[in-house]
Structure formats: structure tokens, C-alpha cells
């Protein structure tokens, strides 16, 4: 049986990054009672997912996101705590995303290593191919996902709570949040979203909500058999996958095209489709764009889309400062902290890539008003400039005064 302590541990995991949301605060005000109620619902099998919040985000690309109710997030973490360790052992090292230490930066570094290894440090010809699956999350078959996780747990899971765990997974997979949700974005936002990018355009047999922890883990597992086919049966040694974005490096262009056709057939059997317009095949010297970075022979660069989003934020903050000045408004600490956290999240990315020229452009685009509230600390690293914004102790203090608050990251925990 799943114990009360398991539910409490899942709650502690869940609240770690969501403790300031309204749902989380309501749950935390009497978390012991809520955890006990949720536990009773689980062991009595009366648990039902509650309403989600649905909205459309524009960055980095336009997509529909469902934010589950906080108590449902606790259930997601409860499931993840049971299966994560087993999945981590099952996945290839080059299956990235939703795993500790295996995010976008890890994937970028692995692909860079593969490109150098296959080309013998760019001294022999080889080719890089990138493909992805069209409307991946919205096309995933729910029954196929459940069958995959059930077969996996039957083989690997030894806990005596397997039946309850499978019941929770079934409830999560076959839940249809689009039928009972609160829309936070205006309905016009969905008019600009293709039908195949929304759960509202599905028949209920396919599609997982983007934003759920379980959706990401189950999606990785569903393509795991394909990873083993590519690397062990079809002979592609240098390969990496971030969710549905796949990168291949091989000396033979023809071999890559043959493998692409095999992947297409494998996906067709499962009702998934390779995106016809998102296929990249070039000599390795041309580099490849992968998970927000452009990987080339002489280094790694931020992708144009990420740079464009960064400049967009700067222009937006410039207009905000102008409006403050026009209105004669004195900004509050929360206003300044928001600007600083957003800027430092991008500046933190720059330190990972060749960024000296880009940093110069960033400084040129920042209005003088930025430096009424911040100064910029810079240190040179092997890859580029390590930069961050520092907040003055008082917004009107002279610029040579020592800053009081230093944010290395975009969270308040970075205060020193």
C-alpha cells in the first residue's frame, strides 16, 4: 500500500518550486489534513483529478500549457518518485530532459562531443541530421502509453503497491483536462494556435497535457524502444534525443537517410508523424541548432530565437522604465527584482556560450535607465564574458557605491 508518508514526501517535492502559487498556499495552510484526505482517496480509489488552469505561452514558441491543480501535482510527484529511478536506469545516456543533470546544457555538450568524435575533431567528412515529430505531445496515443508503462513496471517494479500505482497512472493518462479547465489566456490566443497543437482539437484518445511531470516521463519512455533500435540495431553510434528532437551524426549521408526512413515507418505504425518541414541534413562543418544553441566547429552560440527573445525583453523593460519616468512613479522592490531576475536568467545563459560580441550588443540596447537601478558585473571566462546585473542598495545612490544585493541566478535564493 501507498503510505501517508509517501504522500507527504511527494508534497514536499512538489512545493519546492511552487510554494508561492495560490493553489500551493491554500494546500499548505492545512497541508496535514489535505495530505491525509488525498491519501485516503488514493487507497480507497476514489481519487479524481481536479480542474486545471489552461493558458497559451508565446516563448520560446507558441504552445498550450495545462497547469494541474496542486493536489494533482502531488500525485504526479508521487508517481514520479516510484518510477523515476527505474526509468533513469532504462534510458540511454543520450536521452535528455526531465532527468537530474541531463537538461538542455547536457544535451548540447553531448552533441558537441559526438560531432567532434565522429569527425575526428573535424578532420574527416561526416554529416549531421536533425528531425522531430509533428505535434508530438498532442499525438501520443493514451492506450499505447499506458501499455508501455504497464509492461515496463511488470518487468522492473517490485513494490507491493504496483496495482495502486498503475491505477494512479491510468487516472492521470486518461484524464481529459480540456473538458473542465479554467482558461487564463483569452480565447483569441487559441485562434493563433494550430488545431493539432491543442488538446481541444483531439478526440480524447490521444494527447498529453504539456506542463505535467508525468507527461514528460511517459513521453520519454514511449520513444525509448526507438532509441535502442537507432543505436544498437541500425548502427548510429552518435545520436541524441531531447524529448522528440533527434540528432544523428554519421560519416554517410545515405545511411542517415535510410535510418530516417526506418524511423518514419516505426512512427507511422504508432500514429506519429515526422515533421515534413523540420528536417536538417548538412555537413558537420555547418553545425546544428539544438535545444536553443547553435553548435559549430569553433564553439557554441545562442540560437537566433533565444537572442531575439532576449532583445525583446530588453526593449520591453526599456519601455517600462520610460513609462515609470513619464508617470513619475517610484518603482517598488518587487518591480526591480522582477527586471533583474529576468535579465540575469538570460545573462546566465551567455556565460555558457561564445558571447563577447553578443554581450556588447546587449549593453548597447539597454537604456541608460537600467543603470539608475543596476550596475553590471563582468568576469572573463574561457567561453566568454560572465555577466550579471547587481542592484544598488538605494536606487538613487551614486554608481560607485558597493551593491547590497547580488543575484547570480533568477531566483530570490541567490541573495547574498
Amino acid at each position: 500500500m501507498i503510505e501517508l508518508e509517501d504522500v507527504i514526501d511527494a508534497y514536499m517535492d512538489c512545493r519546492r518550486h511552487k510554494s508561492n502559487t495560490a493553489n500551493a498556499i491554500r494546500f499548505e495552510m492545512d497541508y496535514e489534513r489535505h495530505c491525509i484526505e488525498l491519501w485516503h482517496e488514493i487507497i480507497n480509489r476514489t481519487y479524481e483529478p481536479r480542474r486545471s488552469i489552461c493558458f497559451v505561452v508565446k516563448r520560446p514558441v507558441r504552445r498550450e500549457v495545462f497547469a494541474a491543480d496542486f493536489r494533482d501535482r502531488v500525485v504526479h510527484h508521487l508517481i514520479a518518485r516510484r518510477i523515476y529511478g527505474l526509468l533513469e536506469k532504462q534510458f540511454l545516456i543520450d536521452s535528455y530532459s526531465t532527468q537530474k543533470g541531463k537538461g538542455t546544457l547536457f544535451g548540447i555538450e553531448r552533441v558537441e562531443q559526438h560531432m567532434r568524435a565522429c569527425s575526428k575533431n573535424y578532420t574527416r567528412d561526416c554529416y549531421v541530421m536533425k528531425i522531430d515529430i509533428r505535434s508530438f505531445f498532442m499525438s501520443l496515443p493514451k492506450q499505447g502509453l499506458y501499455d508501455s508503462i504497464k509492461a515496463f513496471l511488470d518487468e522492473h517494479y517490485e513494490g507491493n503497491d504496483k496495482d495502486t500505482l498503475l491505477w494512479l497512472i491510468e487516472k492521470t493518462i486518461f484524464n481529459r483536462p480540456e473538458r473542465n479547465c479554467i482558461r487564463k489566456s483569452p480565447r483569441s490566443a487559441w485562434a493563433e494556435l494550430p488545431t493539432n497543437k491543442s488538446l481541444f482539437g483531439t478526440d480524447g484518445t490521444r494527447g498529453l497535457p504539456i506542463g505535467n511531470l508525468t507527461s514528460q516521463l511517459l513521453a520519454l519512455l514511449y520513444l525509448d524502444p526507438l532509441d535502442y533500435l537507432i543505436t544498437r540495431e541500425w548502427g548510429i553510434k552518435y545520436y541524441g534525443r531531447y524529448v522528440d528532437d533527434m540528432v544523428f551524426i554519421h560519416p554517410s549521408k545515405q545511411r542517415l537517410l535510410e535510418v530516417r526512413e526506418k524511423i518514419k515507418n516505426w512512427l507511422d505504425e504508432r500514429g506519429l508523424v515526422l515533421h515534413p518541414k523540420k528536417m536538417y541534413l548538412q555537413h558537420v562543418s555547418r553545425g546544428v541548432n539544438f535545444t536553443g544553441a547553435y553548435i559549430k566547429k569553433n564553439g557554441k552560440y545562442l540560437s537566433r530565437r533565444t537572442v531575439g527573445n532576449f532583445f525583446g525583453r530588453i526593449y520591453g523593460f526599456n519601455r517600462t522604465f520610460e513609462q515609470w519616468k513619464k508617470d513619475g512613479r517610484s518603482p517598488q522592490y518587487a518591480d526591480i527584482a522582477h527586471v533583474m531576475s529576468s535579465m540575469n536568467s538570460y545573462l546566465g545563459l551567455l556565460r555558457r556560450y561564445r558571447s563577447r560580441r553578443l554581450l556588447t550588443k546587449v549593453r548597447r540596447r539597454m537604456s541608460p535607465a537600467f543603470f539608475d537601478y543596476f550596475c553590471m558585473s563582468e568576469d572573463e571566462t574561457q567561453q566568454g564574458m560572465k555577466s550579471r546585473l547587481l542592484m544598488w542598495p538605494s536606487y538613487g545612490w551614486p554608481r560607485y557605491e558597493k551593491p547590497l544585493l547580488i543575484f547570480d541566478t533568477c531566483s530570490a535564493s541567490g541573495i547574498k
Side-chain angles (χ1 to χ4, degrees):
M1 298 293 292
I2 290 176
E3 302 293 341
L4 175 59
E5 290 78 6
D6 300 323
V7 176
I8 293 175
D9 289 342
Y11 157 70
M12 292 299 179
D13 283 348
C14 187
R15 74 178 294 275
R16 190 164 297 153
H17 302 294
K18 296 291 181 181
S19 59
N20 61 339
T21 63
N23 269 336
I25 292 171
R26 281 195 296 268
F27 194 99
E28 188 165 355
M29 288 175 66
D30 193 3
Y31 80 92
E32 291 178 335
R33 181 175 63 84
H34 287 128
C35 284
I36 292 171
E37 289 177 354
L38 180 58
W39 175 58
H40 281 299
E41 290 180 18
I42 292 172
I43 62 176
N44 294 326
R45 301 204 178 185
T46 59
Y47 163 75
E48 292 290 341
R50 292 185 178 178
R51 299 181 74 182
S52 297
I53 294 174
C54 182
F55 53 93
V56 175
V57 297
K58 298 180 180 179
R59 294 188 180 90
V61 295
R62 188 179 293 273
R63 60 166 54 100
E64 173 188 85
V65 176
F66 281 85
D69 189 87
F70 186 79
R71 73 195 303 272
D72 295 329
R73 289 177 177 269
V74 173
V75 172
H76 300 166
H77 279 268
L78 177 63
I79 294 171
R81 287 176 65 87
R82 288 290 196 273
I83 67 176
Y84 177 80
L86 298 174
L87 291 176
E88 194 174 33
K89 294 177 182 178
Q90 172 70 19
F91 295 152
L92 295 179
I93 188 174
D94 286 298
S95 175
Y96 321 126
S97 173
T98 326
Q99 301 168 72
K100 187 176 181 180
K102 293 179 69 176
T104 56
L105 292 175
F106 178 81
I108 290 166
E109 291 171 359
R110 286 288 296 180
V111 170
E112 183 184 37
Q113 293 168 13
H114 290 334
M115 292 169 67
R116 290 192 177 277
C118 185
S119 64
K120 295 185 185 280
N121 205 22
Y122 295 94
T123 59
R124 74 167 182 177
D125 289 336
C126 66
Y127 298 87
V128 57
M129 179 176 73
K130 189 179 83 164
I131 58 178
D132 77 356
I133 301 170
R134 184 168 61 186
S135 305
F136 177 56
F137 277 95
M138 301 304 142
S139 303
L140 286 168
K142 293 186 177 182
Q143 189 61 51
L145 286 166
Y146 179 75
D147 292 342
S148 295
I149 188 64
K150 184 177 185 304
F152 176 78
L153 293 181
D154 285 342
E155 182 178 354
H156 299 282
Y157 192 77
E158 298 179 355
N160 57 7
D161 57 355
K162 184 170 68 176
D163 289 343
T164 304
L165 178 60
L166 282 170
W167 178 78
L168 282 176
I169 292 173
E170 182 180 12
K171 278 288 183 182
T172 302
I173 291 176
F174 290 97
N175 178 43
R176 297 194 62 181
E178 72 278 10
R179 285 184 165 180
N180 182 28
C181 65
I182 302 170
R183 298 200 194 206
K184 286 295 186 180
S185 296
R187 288 186 177 269
S188 59
W190 276 267
E192 302 176 26
L193 193 68
T195 305
N196 62 358
K197 297 280 188 182
S198 171
L199 283 182
F200 295 100
T202 65
D203 61 359
T205 62
R206 291 180 176 272
L208 290 182
I210 296 175
N212 287 356
L213 174 60
T214 48
S215 297
Q216 299 171 58
L217 289 174
L218 293 171
L220 288 177
L221 177 64
Y222 193 69
L223 293 185
D224 184 65
L226 181 60
D227 294 339
Y228 282 90
L229 285 173
I230 291 169
T231 56
R232 298 187 180 179
E233 292 193 22
W234 299 341
I236 304 297
K237 179 179 178 182
Y238 302 107
Y239 161 77
R241 176 172 67 88
Y242 188 89
V243 190
D244 65 317
D245 288 342
M246 293 173 271
V247 174
F248 312 77
I249 304 99
H250 196 272
S252 170
K253 181 189 291 187
Q254 185 60 37
R255 182 58 182 161
L256 288 176
L257 291 173
E258 291 172 359
V259 168
R260 181 183 182 275
E261 189 63 25
K262 291 182 177 180
I263 293 172
K264 180 178 180 298
N265 294 336
W266 189 91
L267 294 173
D268 286 344
E269 294 173 1
R270 291 154 179 81
L272 302 175
V273 180
L274 278 182
H275 201 298
K277 297 182 180 179
K278 293 186 179 179
M279 192 270 195
Y280 177 89
L281 179 58
Q282 291 288 347
H283 192 272
V284 71
S285 62
R286 300 289 298 272
V288 65
N289 190 350
F290 185 63
T291 65
Y294 209 87
I295 307 167
K296 301 189 74 172
K297 175 181 178 179
N298 60 341
K300 303 185 291 292
Y301 302 83
L302 275 180
S303 68
R304 291 182 179 179
R305 186 171 68 189
T306 305
V307 172
N309 290 338
F310 189 12
F311 287 161
R313 297 296 285 176
I314 293 174
Y315 293 143
F317 290 140
N318 286 344
R319 291 193 297 269
T320 298
F321 292 144
E322 291 173 4
Q323 191 64 42
W324 287 348
K325 185 176 181 180
K326 181 179 178 181
D327 297 342
R329 176 188 170 190
S330 179
Q332 301 297 314
Y333 170 80
D335 300 322
I336 301 300
H338 168 68
V339 175
M340 182 167 57
S341 64
S342 180
M343 289 293 295
N344 278 345
S345 65
Y346 281 105
L347 291 172
L349 277 176
L350 294 187
R351 71 181 66 177
R352 302 283 184 171
Y353 306 102
R354 295 178 67 91
S355 57
R356 185 181 295 275
R357 291 183 180 179
L358 177 57
L359 188 58
T360 300
K361 294 180 181 179
V362 167
R363 285 196 296 264
R364 287 175 179 171
R365 283 165 171 77
M366 294 166 66
S367 73
F370 263 98
F371 302 99
D372 291 336
Y373 307 101
F374 311 104
C375 68
M376 183 174 282
S377 167
E378 296 181 352
D379 300 300
E380 189 166 3
T381 66
Q382 292 181 351
Q383 295 175 316
M385 295 299 294
K386 175 182 175 181
S387 305
R388 63 189 177 190
L389 286 183
L390 310 180
M391 185 190 298
W392 296 114
S394 175
Y395 307 143
W397 280 23
R399 297 179 183 177
Y400 54 80
E401 294 287 351
K402 182 179 179 182
L404 175 66
L405 300 178
I406 300 177
F407 278 55
D408 288 313
T409 65
C410 61
S411 67
S413 61
I415 297 177
K416 293 186 178 179

